[in-house]
Amino acid sequence: LSFITIAPLLSPIMTNFNTLGWFQLGYSPLNTGDLDPSLQDPVFYNKIRNYTFANNIKEDAASSNNSTTHLKTSPFCLSSEYLIAAAPFSGPIAVTLNQRKFLHANKRIRQSQKVIRTYTCAGRELARCEWPLKGEILADWAFDFKERLVCVMRDATIILYSIFLKELNRITALKHLLDDESVLMCKVFRRGLLILSKTTQLTLKMRIVTNLTSEHPNVVECADMNAVLSHYIDRSDATTTGATTATSGVESSSPSGIVNIEDMDDSLNYPVEIIMHGSTASSSQSQPASASGPSSSHQSNDHDIDIIIGLPNFPSLLVVNTKSCVDMTLTNGPFRFIKLRPGNDVIACYSERHNLWVIKSDFTDNETEFATHSQRIPTQVEWCGIHSVALYWSPEALDQKKLSLLLLIGPTRDYIKLLFDGPIHIVPEVDGLRILSEDACEFLYRIPEPISRVFKAGSLDPAAILYEANENYENMDPSAIRNMRRLGHRLKEAVQTCILAAGYEYDQLLQNRLLQSASLGKSFPKCKDFEHDQFYQMIKRLRILNALRDSRVGIPLTFEQLDALSPQTLVDRLTNRFEHWLAFEVCKFLGLNDRSVLMHWAQAKVCAKPPDGDSTTGEANDDLSADDKQILLAIKSKIEDRGDIPFAQIAMTAHKVGKQTMAQKLLELEDAPGEKVSVLLTMGHSEDAFHNAIKSGMTDLIYMVLIQMIKSWPRSKLLATVLENDTSRRLLETHAIRIKDYALLEDLYVAQEHTHDEGCVYVRQACNMVYRESLLDSTTNDTIEEQVVHLKNAGRRFRLNSKGVQHLSDGDATRKQMELLRRQQTMDQIVNSKIFFGKSISESIYNALLIGTDELIKMAQEMIDDFAVNPKRCCWIKVRALAEAGRWEQLKQYATESTEKEGYPPIGFRPFAEECIKYGNLDDAREYTSKVYAPFSRVRLFVQMEDFGEAINHAFEAKSVEMLNFIYKSVIDPDIRKLVGERIDMLS
């Protein structure tokens, strides 16, 4: 990588500036954007040449030591046979062949012509690549706010390129969305893409596509336009010639046409502009955002997008967003161009009647109208800053061989014609117009107020006097001091003006003189309170601007553009162009964080290939080549002491380009275990990742590595490695249990000789089979036998483990489980249904009693006896089952037998009463309630039966205010509540 140094303040970069080349364009205030023509201050414009392409090409040829190089005078062609895309803020330029024009002319396109090239503003080629899709034609392309080239094909395929034409993303998802539709127009804007299409039902659809870096971008459909167009067609016959617009008062002189959707195709003109509301002015956009826009009647929330679009034969404009579509009811269209002024507050519209119409973007105020008196449609219409509009006619549009015309129109209808010898391409900027010709890059701009105040002919401004005094001072003229003293209290103003004028100035010699004038002025006592930091900050900015304007960098930013772009965005753009040293110096100059610059530099160094003659890379022998050792040493020296730049990301880049040894060396310098382990796993070094994760002690990292090891390692190697550490062993055990990997779990316990845990694995397998089979319709004998085998294996391991300790309770439990499975299988065969299998003992007894056949009742009683079911549990089961089955006599008989046998049922009479109440047998419930011993329980049961009289009597007899309060809260009837209240009062 070759780096350049920041140009010193006096280095001759811009040597062809002519301060006498100003030309006047009407009258207007110099210090505001007001378009009021009543203020008669002259406005001056100037056109300077930033770069001459032929000189740069000769420098490139000389630096390449190739004397036989054929020198061209232009890096690219600007004829109509080529498409140009230029990024704002002096960004890159992309050029490709206009294949559509070749196809229309039936010309054959050579394969060598099917390329895309990118250049700097200085005409130096950045990259080239072949046309990405054979047979597909470009619908639109432009650079987005991050200087990525967005190419949209006619089939809605979107390809995203870097400025070096590296493909970043390819989106084909929109092709399926637009299968039954014809794409009429695509428009790339700084945050996404706008698509206008026609359906087979002859309706128009507009969609906004954002998040172009994803394979599946966000697609939002705009409001329906067809209802508005239908209304226009209905009223088109009633529209008369000469009607005035509702807002501007401009008269129409042409008959209104008919919007015929059927005849629309992608060859017609669809002028469109996009207003983004509510977002702060992005530093990388071509103009600052503004809150102004279409009126509130159709404006949506602050973060919405308003689209101003014109259609063929449509005399008005539509303002469309995601919620509404509004016809602005204009009559001076149709329009061929719509251009939004920087600031989003004014739009310039060029109509098919060859009139330029300037109006507020909310369509509330007509600014001006200019008739070109030409019958030729311009090739381009763009704003030149915020004060004038430029119309450009190419030689083809003028039917000329080489001559082209640029018409600059001011706010007071003053204009200037600029002729060019050959085609050009104009690029709007926030403060002017960049002009690309085949031999130069020029900039047309309005002379800023500080420059005008100093250099305007006959100027008596304090800054002009100070500048002249400085020249006299350098010539040892005594009048210099006299003129300085004459300024008096205006000296401070003169100093500030000279400093600002130096910032706006392009010529470095004049920059130096202006700063010397300011330095002389601020040394006088009248400026003792002057803030000297303004002076030093301007010097810093000028050094940055002069370095950027060097032809080796090719970013001729102006003072205003640097302010609008923001320093951080400038650093990002320099980094993306691999101008790392310059980006680093800018960060140091302006006090910015240089982390991203160093990271990008290190990754670029790692990706750098060795020279062609060096074939000994050393990677095959696990040793670094000499070049890689130098790269590693350079990265280490720059980054090792920083602490905020992860070596893991640089190592990942080395891994991606096939430099595995360098990646390992870089990872050795990484301190963050998470980053290090993640990269090691990606590289396939699981064992190193495991040891680093163990060393870190972070369970999340260990678990992440274990998952990868389980997938890729042999089982024996996995267990041998994992058992070295207790944390990894427990994590592996937990993972195997969670995913029910019983084979892994068994191998883990066998390796540790944990026979009891191994037996638990067999139990888990048997239980899992029981659960799985319970979900099926039938259970086979083979399934039962397989489960019994698992339980037998578990029982054998429970009886005696490796340490000689017996687990009799666990062995007995497995034996009982085997017996239960066999009995449940028999009971299912009796009822010919899967009712018992997989259930617990209590559920099996309950279901048997519920069905109530003699055979099942007998088997249930055997289960009670053999499995020693608790008497209370057994009583609960019988009461619930008999009550649900409605066998009330058997329930009475069981209650009587329990009373005669033990004097009282094991669970008391309350459950008997509750079950009777639950199934509506209130008579038996009252009988059981009378036998309940606890008074409060009897009261509760009477309340459940809604027998409030008995409840009140029992509570009153028990003299319990608490019971009466319970009854009071449970009753809604006011009469009963009154009675309860009286009893409470009596007891109180």
Side-chain angles (χ1 to χ4, degrees):
L1 299 175
S2 61
F3 304 119
I4 69 164
T5 59
I6 289 188
L9 189 60
L10 298 178
S11 63
I13 293 178
M14 309 289 294
T15 58
N16 51 3
F17 179 81
N18 181 8
T19 57
L20 302 178
W22 299 2
F23 48 87
Q24 184 176 338
L25 181 64
Y27 296 88
S28 183
L30 285 171
N31 56 347
T32 70
D34 192 0
L35 304 180
D36 184 5
S38 61
L39 301 175
Q40 300 297 311
D41 288 333
V43 175
F44 294 100
Y45 278 76
N46 190 23
K47 179 167 68 71
I48 63 170
R49 175 165 291 197
N50 298 125
Y51 306 105
T52 300
F53 296 148
N55 295 339
N56 295 338
I57 294 172
K58 290 177 182 178
E59 291 174 9
D60 290 342
S63 62
S64 64
N65 297 323
N66 186 2
S67 58
T68 61
T69 303
H70 176 65
L71 297 182
K72 300 183 296 181
T73 59
S74 175
F76 45 79
C77 181
L78 295 174
S79 69
S80 60
E81 295 179 350
Y82 287 85
L83 296 174
I84 312 293
F89 295 102
S90 304
I93 303 161
V95 182
T96 191
L97 194 69
N98 189 349
Q99 297 187 32
R100 180 182 300 182
K101 187 158 188 176
F102 271 66
L103 292 176
H104 287 173
N106 294 322
K107 293 183 180 180
R108 183 180 177 183
I109 306 175
R110 297 191 304 272
Q111 188 62 35
S112 60
Q113 293 177 302
K114 297 180 180 179
V115 294
I116 301 175
R117 293 181 175 88
T118 55
Y119 301 88
T120 66
C121 286
R124 298 180 184 272
E125 183 175 306
L126 294 172
R128 68 173 64 189
C129 73
E130 293 185 359
W131 189 249
L133 296 174
K134 294 182 179 179
E136 289 298 335
I137 296 178
L138 191 66
D140 189 36
W141 68 340
F143 285 94
D144 69 357
F145 67 106
K146 288 189 176 181
E147 289 192 332
R148 296 172 300 205
L149 183 60
V150 183
C151 300
V152 187
M153 306 301 166
R154 221 161 40 170
D155 66 343
T157 299
I158 303 172
I159 304 178
L160 207 63
Y161 288 105
S162 69
I163 61 174
F164 293 99
L165 297 180
K166 177 185 177 182
E167 186 172 321
L168 304 176
N169 192 22
R170 181 174 297 202
I171 302 171
T172 59
L174 297 179
K175 294 172 65 176
H176 307 292
L177 182 65
L178 302 172
D179 267 346
D180 299 330
E181 301 177 16
S182 305
V183 177
L184 301 179
M185 178 271 299
C186 297
K187 170 72 174 179
V188 179
F189 61 101
R190 64 185 182 89
R191 295 287 180 183
L193 171 68
L194 178 70
I195 299 179
L196 178 67
S197 60
K198 177 179 69 174
T199 66
T200 54
Q201 291 80 25
L202 300 182
T203 59
L204 297 180
K205 282 190 177 181
M206 188 180 294
R207 296 176 177 90
I208 300 172
V209 186
T210 55
N211 192 22
L212 298 182
T213 56
S214 170
E215 292 184 3
H216 301 284
N218 301 327
V219 181
V220 179
E221 190 164 326
C222 297
D224 185 23
M225 306 165 54
N226 301 285
V228 176
L229 294 177
S230 301
H231 175 67
Y232 163 73
I233 293 174
D234 293 339
R235 66 178 173 84
S236 60
D237 292 336
T239 306
T240 58
T241 303
T244 58
T245 65
T247 55
S248 65
V250 180
E251 293 191 355
S252 171
S253 59
S254 67
S256 55
I258 299 296
V259 180
N260 191 345
I261 298 178
E262 184 177 3
D263 294 338
M264 288 187 181
D265 57 28
D266 59 353
S267 64
L268 298 179
N269 182 58
Y270 304 91
V272 65
E273 266 296 356
I274 298 165
I275 303 177
M276 302 187 68
H277 295 285
S279 58
T280 353
S282 172
S283 58
S284 45
Q285 61 187 1
S286 59
Q287 65 265 359
S290 171
S292 61
S295 59
S296 58
S297 61
H298 59 269
Q299 181 175 334
S300 45
N301 63 57
D302 288 342
H303 296 281
D304 272 355
I305 293 176
D306 276 340
I307 302 156
I308 305 175
I309 185 170
L311 298 174
N313 296 330
F314 187 57
S316 182
L317 292 174
L318 298 178
V319 178
V320 189
N321 53 41
T322 56
K323 297 181 180 179
S324 63
C325 174
V326 178
D327 179 6
M328 301 316 298
T329 63
L330 310 177
T331 59
N332 51 343
F335 298 99
R336 295 291 299 231
F337 295 95
I338 303 174
K339 294 297 175 180
L340 190 64
R341 186 173 79 169
N344 293 359
D345 56 342
V346 176
I347 57 174
C349 307
Y350 189 88
S351 69
E352 292 189 354
R353 290 170 293 170
H354 309 284
N355 292 338
L356 178 68
W357 182 43
V358 181
I359 189 173
K360 292 287 187 181
S361 60
D362 56 3
F363 297 92
T364 57
D365 189 15
N366 179 34
E367 298 292 342
T368 187
E369 186 176 16
F370 181 87
T372 63
H373 302 293
S374 170
Q375 299 303 315
R376 302 180 186 277
I377 299 295
T379 307
Q380 280 184 271
V381 175
E382 299 291 353
W383 280 91
C384 180
I386 62 173
H387 301 95
S388 57
V389 180
L391 309 181
Y392 164 64
W393 284 267
S394 65
E396 184 178 357
L398 296 174
D399 290 336
Q400 296 287 328
K401 186 175 181 180
K402 296 186 66 177
L403 190 66
S404 61
L405 170 65
L406 183 69
L407 184 65
L408 194 65
I409 303 171
T412 57
R413 297 186 181 89
D414 297 293
Y415 65 90
I416 293 175
K417 292 181 180 180
L418 301 176
L419 299 178
F420 294 87
D421 186 17
I424 64 171
H425 182 82
I426 56 177
V427 184
E429 299 284 4
V430 294
D431 58 342
L433 196 68
R434 194 157 304 284
I435 302 174
L436 302 174
S437 63
E438 293 188 345
D439 62 345
C441 173
E442 299 174 303
F443 187 60
L444 176 64
Y445 67 105
R446 176 177 172 172
I447 298 296
E449 178 192 3
I451 296 288
S452 178
R453 290 172 64 179
V454 175
F455 295 112
K456 187 171 61 176
S459 175
L460 297 178
D461 190 89
I465 296 174
L466 176 59
Y467 182 81
E468 183 181 1
N470 178 66
E471 289 187 340
N472 294 337
Y473 180 78
E474 290 180 350
N475 296 329
M476 308 296 292
D477 189 341
S479 64
I481 303 300
R482 183 171 62 252
N483 290 337
M484 297 283 291
R485 289 173 178 169
R486 192 178 63 184
L487 290 175
H489 66 280
R490 302 185 66 186
L491 182 59
K492 183 177 179 180
E493 175 191 347
V495 171
Q496 291 177 335
T497 303
C498 285
I499 293 175
L500 283 176
Y504 287 110
E505 187 54 69
Y506 282 82
D507 184 82
Q508 294 188 26
L509 181 61
L510 290 178
Q511 291 174 6
N512 188 40
R513 290 177 179 174
L514 287 166
L515 289 175
Q516 286 178 349
S517 302
S519 178
L520 177 64
K522 71 185 183 69
S523 64
F524 277 70
K526 292 289 184 181
C527 292
K528 62 180 179 180
D529 58 342
F530 180 77
E531 295 182 6
H532 299 279
D533 187 61
Q534 298 179 25
F535 184 80
Y536 299 119
Q537 291 298 327
M538 182 59 71
I539 291 177
K540 287 182 178 181
R541 291 198 175 199
L542 284 174
R543 292 195 66 186
I544 293 172
L545 287 171
N546 291 336
L548 293 172
R549 293 167 185 169
D550 190 285
S551 61
R552 291 168 291 180
V553 181
I555 307 179
L557 284 177
T558 64
F559 183 73
E560 286 188 33
Q561 291 171 19
L562 182 62
D563 279 344
L565 190 62
S566 86
Q568 186 57 55
T569 306
L570 173 62
V571 170
D572 293 341
R573 293 191 173 193
L574 287 172
T575 303
N576 291 334
R577 293 193 185 200
F578 295 95
E579 298 288 353
H580 299 105
W581 197 91
L582 183 55
F584 182 80
E585 289 297 317
V586 170
C587 289
K588 186 169 67 174
F589 244 53
L590 301 180
L592 302 175
N593 190 346
D594 57 4
R595 177 182 180 276
S596 61
V597 178
L598 287 176
M599 172 62 71
H600 196 280
W601 166 79
Q603 291 174 332
K605 295 285 283 184
V606 167
C607 293
K609 295 181 179 180
D612 295 337
D614 186 7
S615 59
T616 58
T617 61
E619 290 288 343
N621 299 323
D622 291 335
D623 194 12
L624 290 175
S625 66
D627 291 331
D628 286 346
K629 285 181 181 178
Q630 292 181 359
I631 291 172
L632 184 62
L633 185 62
I635 293 173
K636 186 177 178 180
S637 63
K638 290 285 185 184
I639 297 178
E640 188 174 21
D641 297 333
R642 289 292 301 258
D644 59 339
I645 300 177
F647 282 95
Q649 293 185 21
I650 308 172
M652 177 63 75
T653 303
H655 166 67
K656 290 180 179 179
V657 298
K659 298 185 177 182
Q660 305 301 331
T661 306
M662 178 177 283
Q664 294 180 21
K665 297 288 185 183
L666 288 167
L667 280 178
E668 293 175 1
L669 304 173
E670 179 58 64
D671 295 328
E675 299 281 348
K676 191 172 185 177
V677 168
S678 178
V679 175
L680 284 171
L681 286 177
T682 305
M683 295 172 59
H685 298 173
S686 303
E687 189 169 358
D688 292 340
F690 176 76
H691 292 306
N692 279 277
I694 293 296
K695 186 178 179 180
S696 71
M698 301 171 65
T699 55
D700 289 345
L701 282 181
I702 300 172
Y703 187 73
M704 179 178 68
V705 177
L706 282 177
I707 298 299
Q708 188 71 21
M709 292 166 62
I710 291 171
K711 295 177 180 179
S712 57
W713 282 27
R715 185 62 54 87
S716 57
K717 182 181 178 182
L718 171 67
L719 295 176
T721 305
V722 168
L723 291 177
E724 295 176 358
N725 182 268
D726 190 56
T727 303
S728 62
R729 178 193 60 78
R730 291 198 305 270
L731 287 173
L732 182 62
E733 180 180 0
T734 304
H735 173 71
I737 293 173
R738 185 177 63 85
I739 67 172
K740 298 180 181 180
D741 189 346
Y742 299 118
L744 174 60
L745 201 57
E746 183 181 356
D747 292 341
L748 178 63
Y749 292 143
V750 169
Q752 300 177 86
E753 298 183 353
H754 290 180
T755 55
H756 180 266
D757 293 334
E758 189 181 349
C760 292
V761 173
Y762 285 112
V763 173
R764 289 177 184 274
Q765 287 180 278
C767 294
N768 187 57
M769 292 183 66
V770 171
Y771 173 74
R772 188 175 66 249
E773 295 298 329
S774 66
L775 300 177
L776 303 176
D777 295 336
S778 61
T779 304
T780 63
N781 292 329
D782 293 339
T783 303
I784 296 294
E785 293 303 324
E786 188 177 353
Q787 294 168 9
V788 170
V789 169
H790 285 307
L791 291 174
K792 284 181 178 179
N793 291 333
R796 281 196 296 269
R797 283 156 179 78
F798 286 145
R799 278 195 292 273
L800 190 67
N801 69 1
S802 60
K803 296 182 180 180
V805 179
Q806 294 184 346
H807 296 273
L808 300 179
S809 59
D810 294 337
D812 186 57
T814 54
R815 181 187 58 79
K816 289 182 178 181
Q817 181 65 26
M818 287 188 288
E819 180 64 26
L820 177 62
L821 288 175
R822 294 190 182 279
R823 294 194 184 193
Q824 287 176 339
Q825 183 185 20
T826 304
M827 297 168 80
D828 278 341
Q829 291 173 355
I830 293 174
V831 298
N832 196 23
S833 178
K834 285 188 59 176
I835 296 177
F836 298 95
F837 182 78
K839 301 294 191 298
S840 65
I841 295 176
S842 298
E843 290 175 321
S844 299
I845 297 172
Y846 176 81
N847 289 335
L849 295 176
L850 186 63
I851 296 174
T853 64
D854 294 339
E855 188 175 4
L856 288 178
I857 292 175
K858 180 181 178 182
M859 294 186 69
Q861 189 59 47
E862 290 175 356
M863 292 176 67
I864 293 172
D865 297 336
D866 294 342
F867 293 108
V869 180
N870 184 281
K872 286 189 177 182
R873 176 178 292 184
C874 180
C875 186
W876 267 107
I877 294 172
K878 286 185 177 182
V879 171
R880 287 176 50 241
L882 293 174
E884 185 176 351
R887 296 199 289 272
W888 305 113
E889 292 300 327
Q890 293 183 24
L891 184 61
K892 283 183 180 181
Q893 182 181 355
Y894 175 67
T896 302
E897 291 175 357
S898 300
T899 304
E900 291 175 354
K901 185 177 180 180
E902 301 180 9
Y904 205 73
I907 58 175
F909 285 101
R910 179 178 174 181
F912 288 81
E914 287 178 342
E915 292 298 321
C916 291
I917 295 171
K918 180 179 179 182
Y919 293 103
N921 188 358
L922 299 183
D923 294 336
D924 289 352
R926 288 188 181 91
E927 182 179 347
Y928 293 127
T929 301
S930 63
K931 298 178 181 181
V932 174
Y933 177 76
F936 209 149
S937 297
R938 289 199 302 271
V939 170
R940 289 177 184 276
L941 291 171
F942 281 123
V943 169
Q944 290 180 22
M945 290 184 284
E946 297 184 356
D947 191 349
F948 298 110
E950 287 294 330
I952 293 170
N953 292 335
H954 279 77
F956 188 72
E957 289 175 2
K959 297 182 180 181
S960 173
V961 176
E962 182 182 2
M963 295 182 192
L964 290 171
N965 283 329
F966 171 75
I967 298 170
Y968 185 86
K969 294 177 182 178
S970 305
V971 176
I972 300 177
D973 192 336
D975 295 334
I976 299 178
R977 282 195 164 200
K978 181 179 180 182
L979 178 60
V980 175
E982 291 174 355
R983 296 298 177 89
I984 293 173
D985 292 340
M986 292 173 64
L987 291 178
S988 300

